[in-house]
Amino acid sequence: MLKIGVLVSGRGSNLQAIIDAIEAKKINASIAVVISNVHGVMALDRAKKHGIKAVVVDGKEFQNKSDYEKEVIRILDSEKVGLICLAGYMRLLSPEFVHHFRGKIMNIHPALLPAFPGLHVQKKALEYGVKFSGCTVHFVDDGCDTGPIILQAVVPVLDEDTEDTLSARILEQEHRIYPEAVRLFSENKLRIEGRRVKIG
Ligand code: GRF
């Protein structure tokens, strides 16, 4: 059975969606470990509440990024994870990290990539004036939000939207498509062919 490692930095609602899908037996996998780079975040409490091992690896406690990532890799390898889910994880991974787990790292991004990569993207979508936005689950490569796209969901942007209302509409879709992407991976149904991810 697939073992998953989830990297988080905050609220952990996407982590929760994956936990719920596993507990509802929609995904045949287990979460072996949740690693946060920030102490005291809600994601850690969510993991513990469901009996999932939750650890903090705080970048500030290491000499440099390489030593920090070596510790994260050591934990993930010791848990024998076959998939790493970034779920609101606020650090960029180095190429060394990405290559170590090539094709086995997923991220969820709250915009329709390649539009609006990076941070504060719901605000950027509103400011730009797009009529639709959404979310993207993608494999992680060396770039920032540039890896092959697995699933996307579209939501309308309404005239009266604020950053909060648009974020909430997108988040609802995140909680639907992230577990779905994990399920497809766990059933070996994702094939990366260049930039494209073929399903089935
Ligand atoms: C989500 O909007 C996700 O798309 C982005 O960071 C946010 C994390 O939320 N990468 P949560 O921690 O999963 O609640």
Side-chain angles (χ1 to χ4, degrees), residues 23-98:
E23 290 190 349
K25 303 211 181 306
K26 290 179 188 156
I27 304 172
N28 185 24
S30 66
I31 298 179
V33 64
V34 171
I35 304 175
S36 171
N37 66 321
V38 184
H39 288 274
V41 292
M42 210 198 295
L44 290 164
D45 298 331
R46 293 183 194 265
K48 286 178 203 150
K49 194 170 159 214
H50 291 266
I52 297 166
K53 182 168 176 183
V55 298
V56 177
V57 185
D58 183 347
K60 292 197 284 291
E61 290 160 15
F62 291 80
Q63 287 280 331
N64 50 50
K65 180 166 178 163
S66 166
D67 285 355
Y68 159 76
E69 285 193 344
K70 274 187 193 138
E71 176 60 5
V72 177
I73 290 172
R74 188 193 64 73
I75 296 168
L76 293 169
D77 280 345
S78 74
E79 296 292 343
K80 298 189 169 42
V81 304
L83 174 66
I84 294 158
C85 292
L86 309 185
Y89 178 67
M90 298 306 283
R91 286 193 70 149
L92 266 187
L93 297 172
S94 71
E96 290 73 30
F97 189 105
V98 172

Side-chain angles (χ1 to χ4, degrees), residues 91-163:
R91 286 193 70 149
L92 266 187
L93 297 172
S94 71
E96 290 73 30
F97 189 105
V98 172
H99 293 170
H100 189 86
F101 297 105
R102 188 186 288 278
K104 293 180 177 165
I105 312 175
M106 279 183 192
N107 182 41
I108 178 97
H109 182 75
L112 290 174
L113 292 170
F116 310 118
L119 295 173
H120 311 299
V121 297
Q122 298 94 336
K123 184 162 177 274
K124 285 179 190 160
L126 278 176
E127 283 170 359
Y128 197 93
V130 292
K131 298 296 185 191
F132 292 91
S133 190
C135 49
T136 304
V137 183
H138 63 92
F139 283 114
V140 173
D141 67 6
D142 289 1
C144 175
D145 302 323
T146 50
I149 291 170
I150 302 166
L151 293 175
Q152 293 187 300
V154 179
V155 307
V157 179
L158 307 179
D159 289 348
E160 58 274 23
D161 266 337
T162 61
E163 193 183 344

Side-chain angles (χ1 to χ4, degrees), residues 10-15 87-88 107-110 122 171 174:
R11 178 179 57 182
S13 71
N14 279 289
L15 164 68
N107 182 41
I108 178 97
H109 182 75
Q122 298 94 336
L171 195 63
E174 294 184 35

